[in-house]
Structure formats: C-alpha cells, structure tokens
Amino acid sequence: MDNLYQRLDLNLLRVFDVLMHSRNVTRAAEQLNLSQSTVSHALARLRQALDDPLFVMTRKEMRPTQRALALAAPVRQSLMLLEQGIRQSASFDPAVSARTFRLAVPSSIEHGAVPLLVELLHQRAPACRLAVTELVHSDYEDTLSRGGMDFVVAFASGDHLSPRLKVEPWFDNAMVCLSAAGSDLPTRLSAEQLVSWSHVSTSTWGHNQTLVENWLKKKGLERPIAVWVPSFEALPKLLATGRYLAMVPELIARDFCHFYPLQQHQLSEPLRSTYVLAQHPLTEFDPALIWFRELLNEVGDSLRPSP
C-alpha cells in the first residue's frame, strides 16, 4: 500500500479528476494543456498503480468503473482543499485582482440585484468580472465543488439544493401586485380581489409564482392566468394594456413603477419570499469569496425596503 501512494503523484490525480468529468482523453488534454500521449501515459500509470481499468471505452465516452466512481469525490475534495490552501497563502486585494466571480440567480435577482452588484464591483474591484447564469433546478453540489460556480442565489423553500452545501439567508422580499397606472384598484388587495382579474405569470419554473399559487390554493382560490412569460422583460407592456395583473417581488415592482406607468398594491396578508446564498464548504474560507460574500450581503441590505 505504501508503494501505491508513492506512485500516485499530484499530476496523476489531476489527470484522473479531469478525465472523470470530460470522459475523453482529447478534451482532458486540452483542459490540462498537455498532449494526448501524456494524458494517455498518465492514465496507463493510474491503471497500473490501482490495478483497475478505471475508464472503459463505449461508443460515446469513456465510462468510469466502480473503483473510479468511488475515488472521484475524495480526489476532487483533496484537490480543492489543496487549491484553497494555496489561495489562502496569498491575501486577496480587490483593487488589483482580475478574478471572475460566478453566480447563479433567479430572474428577479438578475433584474433587481445584479446591476447594484456590478456597480459595487466596478467601484471596489474594477478589474474583476462577474459571470451570471440563470438559476435552474439543480442541486449545484458538483458545480460549486469544482469551482464552476462561486455562489448560488436560491429560494429558502426551493428544496433543490444539496444538503451538503453551506446555505445562509440573504434577504426577504414581499410579493406585491402590479397593475397599470389608473386601474382604480385599492392600495391593498384581498385574495378575492386578486383572482377577479386575469394575470401574467412571469416564470414557468420559479418559487415566487408557486408561493402565490399555494397561498391562494389554501383559500380555495386560483388565479386565471392569461399569459405565461419566462422573464420580466415583456411585463411592462403587457400590464400597460390595463387587462392584466402580475404578482412580482417588491424589488421588481419598485423599479417598474419608477420607469413605467404602473402601480403596485400590497396584499391583505403578508406574503414574503426568502432568498438564500449557497456555497460549497470547500470554498468557504477562500479570501476572495469571503470578500465577495460581504459584497453580496451589502447588496442584500440595500434591497430591503425602508420601514
């Protein structure tokens, strides 16, 4: 067994880790900036050291054996811990760093929070960049553990994030109703008044709309949905017709009522959505991500409506 550890150097483990996710020698070589022959030779050494084929060729890809699958998580975690230790040895200086921070968010946060985040990032870390992707129905454990994503903004009751992630509340936001300016609706609407109009639903997958549906369902009510749209982009023009209402987070309504002829209405009963920040424990102590998390919390504080 001692001889086995001596034969498994760090370079071999890096090759194994990349092969686990690429399932292809050519793609692995490209990611590692190595030649195909070097990667093939490394795989041969791994097979000999572990006395297992590790990857078996099929028509489409190299399929990992059970031994490889068992090794995948410990190897990935070990490499991440090593990378984290190296990063921690040097302090993070936002004034000179050119790091790209990667974030997955729901559409409401893309519209209502990302511009604020970009502005703060521009002021305090001008060379840093932000890559934002749309929140999807994923547990995000693998993406976060591999560094493909730094944080995920999700919903507290979304029930899709891996339980092994570090999840903290970010901020709460009330759900409000939007209508065209001059709709003569009262500033506070009951559930019964809400369902007396046709609605635009702003998401085919998302917690905020589900939150509204469940609230009404408990009262034996259902909204008549006339239009489903995947984002908020078309909402102002649709509502301007005066035919529809839409339930949106308050941070969206705040902007829309400022820029478009729309008005917002509170609900007769509070209905709030809680956004959370999810991060992998392996990156929790990365100095750059500690700084970025503080920036995100500052954005969250600014999005809370004034009392």
Side-chain angles (χ1 to χ4, degrees), residues 6 13 15 28 50 60 72 113 115 122-123 125 139 146 152-154 160 173 179 189 202 223 237 264 272 290 298:
Q6 291 174 6
L13 294 180
V15 169
L50 295 170
K60 294 184 178 180
H122 173 71
Q123 293 172 8
D139 72 3
R146 289 180 53 79
V152 171
V153 177
H160 63 94
N173 203 239
S179 72
L189 296 177
T202 57
R223 287 187 299 170
K237 289 184 179 180
Q264 67 170 288
R272 304 186 69 84
I290 291 173
E298 188 173 337

Side-chain angles (χ1 to χ4, degrees), residues 177-180 183 185 189 191-202 209 212-213 216 222-228 235 238-247 265:
C177 181
L178 277 178
S179 72
S183 65
L185 285 170
L189 296 177
E192 289 75 16
Q193 289 171 313
L194 200 65
V195 300
S196 66
W197 282 64
S198 293
H199 283 247
V200 178
S201 179
T202 57
Q209 297 303 310
V212 175
E213 303 296 348
L216 292 172
E222 183 179 0
R223 287 187 299 170
I225 305 294
V227 185
W228 285 267
L235 198 57
L238 290 172
L239 293 180
T241 65
R243 294 194 297 266
Y244 312 113
L245 302 181
M247 291 296 300
H265 311 268

Side-chain angles (χ1 to χ4, degrees), residues 37-57:
S37 60
T38 300
V39 172
S40 296
H41 179 65
L43 178 57
R45 288 179 60 194
L46 280 165
R47 285 167 166 166
Q48 182 178 14
L50 295 170
D51 193 24
D52 189 272
L54 297 177
F55 299 95
V56 178
M57 282 300 302

Side-chain angles (χ1 to χ4, degrees), residues 7 24 28 35 38 86 103 115 120 157 159 167 217 236 307:
R7 284 177 280 167
N24 182 282
S35 66
T38 300
I86 292 171
L103 200 62
L120 285 178
S157 302
D159 297 329
V167 178
K217 187 176 181 180

Side-chain angles (χ1 to χ4, degrees), residues 93-287:
D93 185 353
V96 299
S97 174
R99 178 161 177 165
T100 298
F101 294 102
R102 304 183 186 280
L103 200 62
V105 303
S107 58
S108 55
I109 295 301
E110 179 186 358
H111 180 96
V114 167
L116 296 174
L117 179 60
V118 170
E119 186 60 27
L120 285 178
L121 202 61
H122 173 71
Q123 293 172 8
R124 302 177 191 178
C128 286
R129 297 167 295 178
L130 184 66
V132 180
T133 58
E134 184 180 3
L135 180 73
V136 295
H137 198 274
S138 164
D139 72 3
Y140 280 101
E141 182 179 0
D142 183 64
T143 305
L144 287 166
S145 71
R146 289 180 53 79
M149 196 75 64
D150 295 316
F151 289 95
V152 171
V153 177
F155 301 101
S157 302
D159 297 329
H160 63 94
L161 296 176
S162 167
R164 287 177 286 276
L165 299 179
K166 177 181 172 61
V167 178
E168 296 180 346
W170 190 22
F171 72 97
D172 292 340
N173 203 239
M175 293 296 292
V176 299
C177 181
L178 277 178
S179 72
S183 65
D184 294 330
L185 285 170
T187 56
R188 190 174 297 272
L189 296 177
S190 67
E192 289 75 16
Q193 289 171 313
L194 200 65
V195 300
S196 66
W197 282 64
S198 293
H199 283 247
V200 178
S201 179
T202 57
S203 177
T204 53
W205 178 84
H207 176 69
N208 282 331
Q209 297 303 310
T210 304
L211 189 68
V212 175
E213 303 296 348
N214 290 340
W215 175 65
L216 292 172
K217 187 176 181 180
K218 289 178 181 178
K219 298 177 177 296
L221 300 172
E222 183 179 0
R223 287 187 299 170
I225 305 294
V227 185
W228 285 267
V229 290
S231 70
F232 298 99
E233 185 175 351
L235 198 57
K237 289 184 179 180
L238 290 172
L239 293 180
T241 65
R243 294 194 297 266
Y244 312 113
L245 302 181
M247 291 296 300
V248 300
E250 188 274 338
L251 69 123
I252 298 295
R254 196 186 317 169
D255 280 356
F256 277 5
C257 290
H258 178 75
F259 292 106
Y260 301 100
L262 303 175
Q263 58 186 357
Q264 67 170 288
H265 311 268
Q266 305 297 317
L267 297 180
S268 57
E269 301 174 31
L271 190 63
R272 304 186 69 84
S273 185
T274 299
Y275 295 97
V276 298
L277 286 177
Q279 180 182 14
H280 200 281
L282 288 173
T283 65
E284 181 181 357
F285 301 105
D286 182 328

Side-chain angles (χ1 to χ4, degrees), residues 83-91 282 284-287:
E83 181 181 352
Q84 181 176 311
I86 292 171
R87 284 182 177 178
Q88 289 177 12
S89 65
S91 60
L282 288 173
E284 181 181 357
F285 301 105
D286 182 328

